Amino acid sequence: MSSHDVMPEMSLYQPVRVEDAIGIANQFADRGWLVGGGQDTYGWLKDRAKSADALIDLKGIESMRGIKETADGIEIGALVTLTELSNNPLIKERYSLLAQAAGKVASPQIRNVGTIAGNVSQDVRCWYYRRGLNCYRAGGNLCYADTPEGMNREHAIFNASRCVAVTPSDTGPALVALEAQMVIDSASGQRVVSAEDFFVGPNVDITHTTVLGSGDILTAVRIPAKWANAQFYFEKVADRNAWDFALVSLSAAMRVNNGVIEESRIVAGAVQATPRRLTSVEQAVRGKARDEATANSVATLASRDANPLNYNHFKMPLMDNLVKRALRGQA
Amino acid sequence: MNQKLTRRRFIKGVIASGVAATTTSLWYSATGADRPAGAVERLLSINVNGQVRRVDVAPQETLAHTLRYKLGLTGTKLGCNRGECGACTVVADDVNIYACSTLTHEVKDKAVVTVEGLRAADGTLHPVQAAFVAELSPACGFCTAGQVMSAFALLKSNPRPTREEARQAMSGNLCRCGAYDHYLNGVMRASGQLS
Ligand SMILES: Cc1cc2nc3c(=O)[nH]c(=O)nc-3n(C[C@H](O)[C@H](O)[C@H](O)COP(=O)(O)OP(=O)(O)OC[C@H]3O[C@@H](n4cnc5c(N)ncnc54)[C@H](O)[C@@H]3O)c2cc1C
Ligand code: SF4
Ligand code: FES
Ligand code: FES
């Protein structure tokens, strides 16, 4: 792949208020590019696979920083870094699932600058697309990964619609499990979208991974008190222990009372374009003990409707085994 | 070619002429009529190794580029230039970051430390550097500056890390020579836990 030392000429804006950032974003529309930590952004621009006329660096916006307690849970500023998330005492104590997921992203240096907003809004990691090929997701009319020769070991086993790329975000599934709410500001005001609806698959919008449109800024992520101090399970399987994207990840939140799972949210990452809620498993384990027998009873339920591609059948048993580990008891 | 005209000196020579050339030609665009006001000023003062340096920085310019090609600080290496190797690691406000994946404008209010900034005025090596020498940590040396900076940042926030903590903290620095355990020994020695 041709990579360049330098990025092409662009202008750079460093607004300090959300309103100003929205104004600039609207003026540049599709030619403006919001920047949190920039860790997903600069690769696209260096490779000339995507381009922008203006970078809008959000890091100067004080109101988008910090983690605070609210009447119903906590609010995480969109600029909070993954390192802050994984070290924050409040999150570690009450929502350790999210702290763990954030701590497994990429490498320490990337976590030191990568933001939660950037992590959930990052684009898919399909190498054909990242190479700049004009595939479906890039607006073309062909998927290079879903061909007989296509290299699709890392791609989707569920819900593909022309595009077979998967969500690369480690925090996304954890946020869906925790019933997080995404706060989005735009010129027309503020709207709040549940994490589950925030991510969109190719059947809804093949050129975007989230509901964010141009001029939309994710300003905060809220986590309801509902799941505070629940029992959690997080595991990410990748080819390397550091610095690598998930082949499959699993985020589970379980409310266990008298040894019985009253309610759970079990979400897999990297198996489809959005975090995948395993609702059939959630239903099957409701009212059961969190133990080996329950874990064995769901067996291959999670992967039942999978549609694997040439090289990714392994994701089915991998996902099933992660579900088993999550259910068999507290680690 | 003159043996003494090393690659390093050659790059530094180019740097000197490059700065002169860019200052005149690159005042542009931000004032264009159809653009919103508030684009960044190109002329920056940045704090590097305790010194404030005035430098003309393009909006999209990375810190690695500014350090190496404008400020002559070639101790910071570029391996992959895309956040995948760690050779370019520097420290900004006590936190280690990839200089190849940071815009210089993003650190204009921070104190940046590069490998050149670690030794004392009298030339004494920083404890991390001394420990890496004692433990023969580097093999080819290409990743060393980045390893030094990650160890330096770790010991600032965690002066006595366990070996496992150190391993995690150093996990964003690749070493093609595979000298990981030697670097880890160095970190443990620098933190006074190995003698
Ligand atoms: C080598 C490497 C390895 C990686 N490994 C992993 C991994 O294991 N797991 C993982 O999850 N990720 C990984 N990443 C991806 C990613 O870089 C990080 O997850 C990081 O969190 C992205 O955050 P950022 O703030 O730097 O994003 P940016 O690059 O700043 O932004 C990413 C996208 O989000 C948009 N955006 C940013 N902030 C906002 C906002 N407030 N409102 C609206 N849109 C916004 C940007 O416009 C852009 O499109 C990796 C990246 C690299 C380079
Ligand atoms: S999987 Fe999606 S992103 Fe990859 S080539 Fe196919 S359409 Fe493009
Ligand atoms: S050169 Fe920056 S991480 Fe490789
Ligand atoms: S010492 Fe050679 S790359 Fe690390």
Side-chain angles (χ1 to χ4, degrees):
Chain A
M1 181 194 303
S2 66
S3 183
H4 301 245
D5 270 7
V6 292
M7 286 180 254
E9 216 171 276
M10 273 171 283
S11 46
L12 171 66
Y13 293 82
Q14 299 189 306
V16 296
R17 298 185 318 160
V18 176
E19 307 87 273
D20 298 338
I22 293 171
I24 299 164
N26 278 327
Q27 235 166 310
F28 282 97
D30 285 349
R31 301 301 300 155
W33 189 308
L34 301 177
V35 177
Q39 302 305 290
D40 189 31
T41 298
Y42 304 139
W44 284 110
L45 302 174
K46 284 178 187 168
D47 292 345
R48 275 55 175 175
K50 289 192 180 186
S51 67
D53 289 342
L55 296 173
I56 306 159
D57 175 11
L58 303 171
K59 282 186 293 295
I61 304 177
E62 215 39 57
S63 65
M64 285 169 60
R65 294 191 174 280
I67 297 170
K68 55 177 188 267
E69 263 192 281
T70 61
D72 177 45
I74 56 168
E75 183 167 302
I76 301 167
L79 289 169
V80 166
T81 65
L82 298 162
T83 298
E84 289 175 82
L85 267 187
S86 59
N87 291 339
N88 181 271
L90 210 58
I91 296 190
K92 271 169 52 180
E93 186 201 315
R94 296 185 200 165
Y95 307 100
S96 58
L97 176 62
L98 181 58
Q100 274 186 11
K104 284 288 179 188
V105 173
S107 70
Q109 286 93 321
I110 289 178
R111 294 194 293 273
N112 282 343
V113 288
T115 64
I116 186 167
N119 190 261
V120 294
S121 312
Q122 63 175 306
D123 212 336
V124 301
R125 298 302 293 196
C126 173
W127 40 76
Y128 298 103
Y129 174 52
R130 292 232 164 207
R131 185 159 198 238
L133 295 178
N134 189 32
C135 66
Y136 281 127
R137 191 168 283 280
N141 58 4
L142 149 93
C143 172
Y144 293 86
D146 192 14
T147 59
E149 305 80 30
M151 296 310 292
N152 48 37
R153 177 174 169 270
E154 281 81 358
H155 289 72
I157 56 174
F158 291 105
N159 287 337
S161 166
R162 292 159 297 153
C163 174
V164 297
V166 296
T167 173
S169 169
D170 288 325
T171 63
L175 292 174
V176 171
L178 294 169
E179 292 188 54
Q181 301 283 316
M182 319 301 270
V183 183
I184 301 166
D185 283 40
S186 70
S188 51
Q190 188 172 81
R191 66 189 201 275
V192 180
V193 177
S194 74
E196 221 168 332
D197 298 331
F198 177 77
F199 297 97
V200 296
N203 54 328
V204 177
D205 183 349
I206 202 164
T207 60
H208 290 93
T209 56
T210 69
V211 294
L212 296 173
S214 85
D216 280 345
I217 298 186
L218 180 62
T219 50
V221 176
R222 294 183 186 143
I223 312 217
K226 177 176 172 191
W227 290 103
N229 302 308
Q231 290 189 14
F232 298 121
Y233 187 85
F234 177 81
E235 189 167 353
K236 166 179 172 177
V237 179
D239 289 320
R240 296 184 293 173
N241 273 332
W243 228 329
D244 203 357
F245 290 89
L247 293 166
V248 177
S249 74
L250 195 85
S251 290
M254 290 159 276
R255 181 64 64 196
V256 181
N257 220 338
N258 294 325
V260 168
I261 302 172
E262 286 180 337
E263 191 182 350
S264 67
R265 289 180 56 103
I266 305 175
V267 186
V271 296
Q272 62 182 33
T274 60
R276 178 177 176 84
R277 253 187 91 185
L278 307 178
T279 39
S280 58
V281 177
E282 291 171 9
Q283 277 154 23
V285 301
R286 183 185 283 258
K288 298 226 178 107
R290 187 180 175 198
D291 64 11
E292 196 79 36
T294 302
N296 290 333
S297 75
V298 295
T300 57
L301 192 55
S303 65
R304 189 155 293 169
D305 302 317
N307 259 316
L309 305 164
N310 270 357
Y311 296 105
N312 66 6
H313 289 67
F314 75 95
K315 285 194 177 189
M316 294 171 61
L318 183 52
M319 179 168 72
D320 288 330
N321 283 325
L322 291 183
V323 170
K324 249 189 225 173
R325 290 203 205 187
L327 290 173
R328 71 186 171 190
Q330 213 155 3
Chain B
M1 192 199 223
N2 181 350
Q3 278 287 299
K4 292 284 170 209
L5 181 61
T6 60
R7 190 171 159 272
R8 182 171 310 210
R9 277 171 63 202
F10 174 75
I11 290 173
K12 287 190 172 167
V14 174
I15 293 159
S17 49
V19 171
T22 48
T23 34
T24 46
S25 63
L26 288 172
W27 290 95
Y28 72 103
S29 86
T31 50
D34 56 337
R35 307 245 158 155
V40 295
E41 286 282 343
R42 290 183 54 113
L43 206 54
L44 272 189
S45 296
I46 51 171
N47 182 333
V48 181
N49 297 331
Q51 270 183 296
V52 176
R53 310 277 303 258
R54 279 299 264 177
V55 55
D56 174 35
V57 179
Q60 75 280 4
E61 184 171 317
T62 64
L63 179 58
H65 190 93
T66 308
L67 291 173
R68 287 179 57 82
Y69 306 120
K70 295 203 174 154
L71 299 178
L73 297 170
T74 52
T76 300
K77 302 302 175 204
L78 272 168
C80 65
N81 195 28
R82 52 191 307 117
E84 291 174 14
C85 77
C88 65
T89 302
V90 299
V91 168
D93 281 358
D94 293 343
V95 168
N96 54 335
I97 60 172
Y98 295 139
C100 73
S101 302
T102 302
L103 301 184
T104 307
H105 283 273
E106 292 176 312
V107 295
K108 64 171 190 257
D109 299 320
K110 300 194 171 186
V112 176
V113 181
T114 69
V115 71
E116 289 91 344
L118 292 193
R119 63 175 187 184
D122 67 357
T124 312
L125 293 181
H126 185 274
V128 167
Q129 294 172 307
F132 280 12
V133 171
E135 289 296 329
L136 301 176
S137 304
C140 78
F142 191 83
C143 71
T144 306
Q147 305 276 6
V148 167
M149 297 317 291
S150 283
F152 170 69
L154 166 66
L155 298 183
K156 283 218 152 197
S157 65
N158 184 357
R160 289 180 71 82
T162 64
R163 203 173 169 88
E164 186 49 35
E165 283 168 350
R167 197 188 296 280
Q168 291 299 327
M170 304 290 289
S171 67
N173 290 78
L174 280 192
C175 176
R176 275 303 294 273
C177 301
Y180 297 105
D181 278 327
H182 303 271
Y183 282 114
L184 270 180
N185 292 341
V187 177
M188 298 317 278
R189 175 179 289 276
S191 66
Q193 302 181 85
L194 203 81
S195 49

